Amino acid sequence: MPLSKELIEQKLNEKFSGESFVFTEHRNELTVSLDKKNIAALCKYLKEEDQLAFKLCEDITAIDWAKRKNRFTVVYHIFSIKQNFRLTLKADVDESDCNIDSVSSVWKTANWHERETFDMYGIHFNNHPDLRRMYMPEEFEYHPLRKDFPLMGIPGSLSLPKNKN
Amino acid sequence: MGLEARLNGDSFFTTTVDALTEWARKNSVWPMPMGISCCAIEMMASGDPKYDIARFGSEVMRFTPRQCDLMIVAGTVTYKMSHVVRKIYDQMPDPKWVIAMGACTSSGGMYRSYPVVQGIDQFLPVDIYVAGCPPRPDNLLNALMQIQDKIGRTKARDFQDKPLPELTVIQNN
Amino acid sequence: MEKLTKDDVHPKILEALLADTNISVEDALENEMILNMGPQHPATHGVLRLLLRLDGETLMGCVPELGYLHRGYEKLAENMSYYEFIPHTDRLDYLSPMSNNVAWALAVEKLAGIEAPPRAQYIRMIISELARIASHLVAIGSLAMDVGALTVFLWTLREREKILDVWDILCGARFTNSYTRIGGVANDAQPEALAKVKWFIDQYLPNLDECERLINTNRIFVERLDGIGVISADEAIDIGLTGPSLRGSGVEFDLRRAQPYLFYNEMDFKVVTYPDGDSLARYFVRADETRESIKIIRQALEKMPQGDTLLNQPKKVLPKKAEIYSKMEELIHDFMIVNFGINPEPGEIYHAVESSKGELGFYLVSKGDGKPWKCKIRSPSFVNLQAVPQLVKGHMISDVVAIVGSLDPVMGEADK
């Protein structure tokens, strides 16, 4: 049976009864918005349920909405090779409580994606095995993809080598 | 060179030795390919059979800085990378020259953004800037010929009093 | 060689490197050795830095450190219009700029809800396959060079030059092309360029065979790759490998087949897989994939229709330059698009293509402005590199170059 919006909706509501999922579609792409406390359990279910089999985690990132109440949205793109179906998961994270459960125990590949998101947005991933900066030097204090970080950076935040001659 | 240090002045012997060393030096420039990004591929292309950098005596790309006299910095230098570039430059023996290949190395290029150093001349002495993003191999060869001209104008004696570069020997703990 | 000290390695990296041992940082150099490889190393394909933990010559652990080429693409994209970002996509995976252009154009077109005319799509298909060949040629050549066969590198680079010549004719740039536009391509493919493509695909296969004859039966080459860096199909999917690296583990997953874009659904080609999952299999996949690309190009050249190469939709697509100079209406549209952007309706899309390294995806969020609110680049090299610690474990130190070379990372894309 090919995967469709209805089937996923039905399966998720069966498994996680009492939780509210919001299903949206834009340009034929299905997106599920959920509460951040469910993310690890839901990802585990989506991966291990035989009919869904979302075995490939393509990407994890975040969006900074700047002035919104829930400032960040963490976005997961997962793909089911078996069903040839792509699904987007979204969970809101507020700045005052800037953390979300890690899914690196579900997909190994999530490790680096979450590190990158931490580096760029400063969102903390709980239970992550190795949460370090991905790109920027460890001494760097800021999170560059936040909207309040200027494009040209903050002068003096990154060092240049000293000229010896 | 130790010889010309003992024979001061422009005697026949020293000028002849100078001419010889200049000629030898300029026709066997050994580049240190500091390939960082896109320009590195064009630098590789300049070594391929079509452009053939060997015509200018520079096909010996040495990946260790201690055997090189020309550093070609090819690609965007970020703040994180700048320390590495400088460290490698410091390890090269004198006399040494630097080509800043491409717009990124020369001025930051199209990357006016937080991690990119806006021009490597902020921490390195640069001899030749090559325009282009990335420059065609012909451009790099042109820069190499200009470096050769510059080397031809440099006297070997100019380097005799210069102190050796300070090698950073770090003790454990 | 200088001894590596705590000053050179950040304590957090050391911590990660020594995570599964009971030795402390202080006595690390007594039992086991920590070796720094890169960021300036000829075999790391750019500026990848690997910290290796060695017991004798056997690798006990490995921590890759990225970010030496982090150029802030995603931040730049948020600060420029969709058109302005096209040249930046060239420099992501700089071994195949054309396919990145195509990926970006397709993503923006999906966001804006437009579609390029068929001829433009066929041209895009031809150039992305040519880009795939060009990229695989460098991958094969540099892999051979890493394990000691320099001649192959010169031969594959010679073939690559021919593709760069095609691009020179096609768009006037040989390396960073920026040839695609949103809603089409910059100019129609000239007959000379197509003739050159035909000439190239006819003479390519014998030359590839020649390269293969040189290394496929070479004992040194084969033994340095055979059985090195083995990864099973399940592990490969779990760690997120895509592209040739995944197909080298026997998984028949290719976005051109699974989720066809352009006209790949009309093309007859085989998804190349090899079951072994080692470095040699990944090399074979790349070599065979170029043959399939030749097949696709040949079909595309036959089927290519005549017609426009740029969509006529003034609110979203820049008009042709000649018309801007002669007509008032077009001048106004050009002014509006250049100054205010194409303003796609609010929404978000993820579009992925099969680039030469794997799945190259763009995640775009529009708020209805001329600039993307958020642009995330899902780069295959970044994800593929994550497999390195797992692949090198237990191998000898000289195998690291073979493994990294067989994954074919491009740091411009991995570091973004």
Side-chain angles (χ1 to χ4, degrees), chain B residues 151-163:
Chain B
I151 295 172
R153 279 182 272 117
T154 319
K155 296 257 184 312
R157 281 169 293 158
D158 294 352
F159 297 101
Q160 67 183 21
D161 295 330
K162 218 173 171 190

Side-chain angles (χ1 to χ4, degrees), chain C residues 119-387:
Chain C
R119 186 174 169 86
Q121 302 221 28
Y122 270 98
I123 293 175
R124 284 176 179 184
M125 205 153 64
I126 292 169
I127 58 175
S128 28
E129 290 309 314
L130 277 177
R132 189 186 316 279
I133 297 173
S135 169
H136 283 349
L137 282 173
V138 175
I140 293 168
S142 53
L143 174 64
M145 186 171 67
D146 287 349
V147 298
L150 185 66
T151 314
V152 186
F153 180 71
L154 294 174
W155 286 8
T156 53
L157 226 62
R158 177 194 66 197
E159 292 303 303
R160 183 183 146 86
E161 279 297 326
K162 293 169 187 166
I163 299 175
L164 298 192
D165 283 348
V166 173
W167 292 347
D168 220 345
I169 304 172
L170 203 59
C171 60
R174 60 176 241 123
F175 189 70
T176 40
N177 316 95
S178 309
Y179 175 58
T180 56
R181 295 287 180 273
I182 291 151
V185 290
N187 53 276
D188 197 356
Q190 304 86 340
E192 299 87 11
L194 295 177
K196 185 109 190 178
V197 174
K198 277 201 191 86
W199 169 78
F200 172 77
I201 58 176
D202 286 338
Q203 57 90 53
Y204 172 72
L205 291 179
N207 285 337
L208 180 67
D209 290 341
E210 197 184 8
C211 290
E212 288 198 325
R213 268 206 303 281
L214 195 62
I215 47 178
N216 280 10
T217 50
N218 184 319
R219 259 182 68 190
I220 301 173
F221 181 78
V222 171
E223 283 184 13
R224 291 233 18 210
L225 298 179
D226 193 15
I228 301 297
V230 182
I231 188 162
S232 73
D234 284 342
E235 281 174 333
I237 294 174
D238 201 31
I239 203 77
L241 288 186
T242 46
S245 310
L246 179 64
R247 292 190 284 274
S249 295
V251 183
E252 201 179 330
F253 176 59
D254 189 326
L255 282 171
R256 290 175 292 172
R257 180 59 54 76
Q259 307 225 313
Y261 49 98
L262 300 174
F263 284 108
Y264 280 115
N265 49 354
E266 293 177 12
M267 297 291 133
D268 168 39
F269 67 100
K270 200 172 98 223
V271 177
V272 184
T273 55
Y274 276 82
D276 297 342
D278 56 359
S279 298
L280 193 63
R282 292 190 278 273
Y283 153 72
F284 281 141
V285 170
R286 290 212 170 78
D288 282 2
E289 242 175 42
T290 59
R291 293 200 170 84
E292 297 302 315
S293 297
I294 293 282
K295 248 161 78 182
I296 296 173
I297 296 169
R298 194 161 276 144
Q299 292 169 56
L301 283 173
E302 273 169 25
K303 288 189 184 172
M304 191 157 77
Q306 293 298 321
D308 265 349
T309 52
L310 201 59
L311 189 69
N312 184 15
Q313 193 165 355
K315 296 280 182 229
K316 303 274 185 228
V317 180
L318 274 180
K320 290 200 178 93
K321 209 72 188 170
E323 286 171 8
I324 297 168
Y325 290 134
S326 54
K327 291 179 187 162
M328 192 64 211
E329 195 89 330
E330 266 73 15
L331 182 65
I332 294 169
H333 289 313
D334 183 74
F335 179 80
M336 292 302 283
I337 289 183
V338 169
N339 281 284
F340 303 105
I342 60 174
N343 308 332
E345 59 183 276
E348 49 207 65
I349 59 105
Y350 177 84
H351 189 270
V353 302
E354 184 76 27
S355 89
S356 51
K357 311 282 179 297
E359 177 183 333
L360 172 66
F362 285 102
Y363 176 59
L364 293 171
V365 178
S366 166
K367 270 188 155 185
D369 311 334
K371 298 170 182 175
W373 180 257
K374 154 92 191 161
C375 162
K376 162 80 199 203
I377 304 156
R378 191 267 186 214
S379 56
S381 301
F382 172 69
V383 189
N384 290 356
L385 269 179
Q386 199 178 168

Side-chain angles (χ1 to χ4, degrees), chain B residues 156-171:
Chain B
R157 281 169 293 158
D158 294 352
F159 297 101
Q160 67 183 21
D161 295 330
K162 218 173 171 190
L164 285 170
E166 202 179 303
L167 283 182
T168 43
V169 181
I170 309 162
Q171 298 296 322

Side-chain angles (χ1 to χ4, degrees), chain A residues 8-125:
Chain A
I8 294 178
E9 207 166 345
Q10 179 203 333
K11 278 202 162 279
L12 289 189
N13 286 332
E14 259 173 37
K15 175 81 182 169
F16 297 88
S17 55
E19 302 294 341
S20 62
F21 296 109
V22 183
F23 291 81
T24 45
E25 239 176 338
H26 184 70
R27 310 257 187 247
N28 293 326
E29 283 181 6
L30 184 60
T31 305
V32 185
S33 307
L34 61 143
D35 196 334
K36 73 174 185 181
K37 69 176 193 292
N38 292 330
I39 189 75
L42 183 93
C43 287
K44 199 168 161 52
Y45 173 72
L46 286 173
K47 187 192 174 189
E48 285 168 7
E49 162 70 39
D50 207 32
Q51 213 177 345
L52 305 173
F54 285 97
K55 291 244 164 81
L56 179 64
C57 174
E58 290 179 320
D59 196 12
I60 296 173
T61 184
I63 310 170
D64 181 2
W65 297 106
K67 286 175 183 159
R68 215 176 66 166
K69 182 177 164 279
N70 286 319
R71 181 170 168 183
F72 301 107
T73 303
V74 183
V75 187
Y76 303 77
H77 295 283
I78 54 178
F79 192 82
S80 168
I81 295 178
K82 188 179 169 191
Q83 299 276 17
N84 196 11
F85 195 86
R86 184 175 285 125
L87 186 66
T88 309
L89 307 176
K90 286 166 91 176
D92 283 346
V93 175
D94 193 47
E95 201 182 358
S96 58
D97 183 24
C98 206
N99 62 67
I100 188 167
D101 286 343
S102 164
V103 294
S104 52
S105 56
V106 183
W107 298 287
K108 253 192 203 165
T109 179
N111 189 327
W112 278 23
H113 289 305
E114 288 178 347
R115 271 178 66 191
E116 190 195 345
T117 312
F118 165 72
D119 188 0
M120 291 293 141
Y121 289 95
I123 297 170
H124 198 86
F125 288 86

Side-chain angles (χ1 to χ4, degrees), chain B residues 66-161:
Chain B
R66 317 224 163 155
Q67 299 175 349
C68 301
D69 36 20
L70 167 70
M71 180 151 90
I72 306 176
V73 185
T76 322
V77 180
T78 59
Y79 281 94
K80 198 171 174 182
M81 192 68 197
S82 62
H83 299 269
V84 181
V85 177
R86 180 72 211 192
K87 196 170 181 181
I88 288 172
Y89 177 78
D90 286 341
Q91 289 179 7
M92 282 165 61
D94 270 331
K96 51 191 171 185
W97 292 270
V98 176
I99 291 181
M101 182 183 180
C104 299
T105 26
S106 307
S107 68
M110 63 203 285
Y111 301 103
R112 283 196 66 74
S113 60
Y114 57 94
V116 177
V117 182
Q118 306 292 311
I120 60 164
D121 42 12
Q122 290 182 22
F123 61 92
L124 270 189
V126 180
D127 293 289
I128 306 278
Y129 299 88
V130 190
C133 187
R136 296 173 72 104
D138 337 26
N139 268 7
L140 182 63
L141 294 181
N142 184 26
L144 185 68
M145 287 158 75
Q146 290 191 33
I147 282 278
Q148 289 183 342
D149 277 355
K150 191 168 180 176
I151 295 172
R153 279 182 272 117
T154 319
K155 296 257 184 312
R157 281 169 293 158
D158 294 352
F159 297 101
Q160 67 183 21
D161 295 330

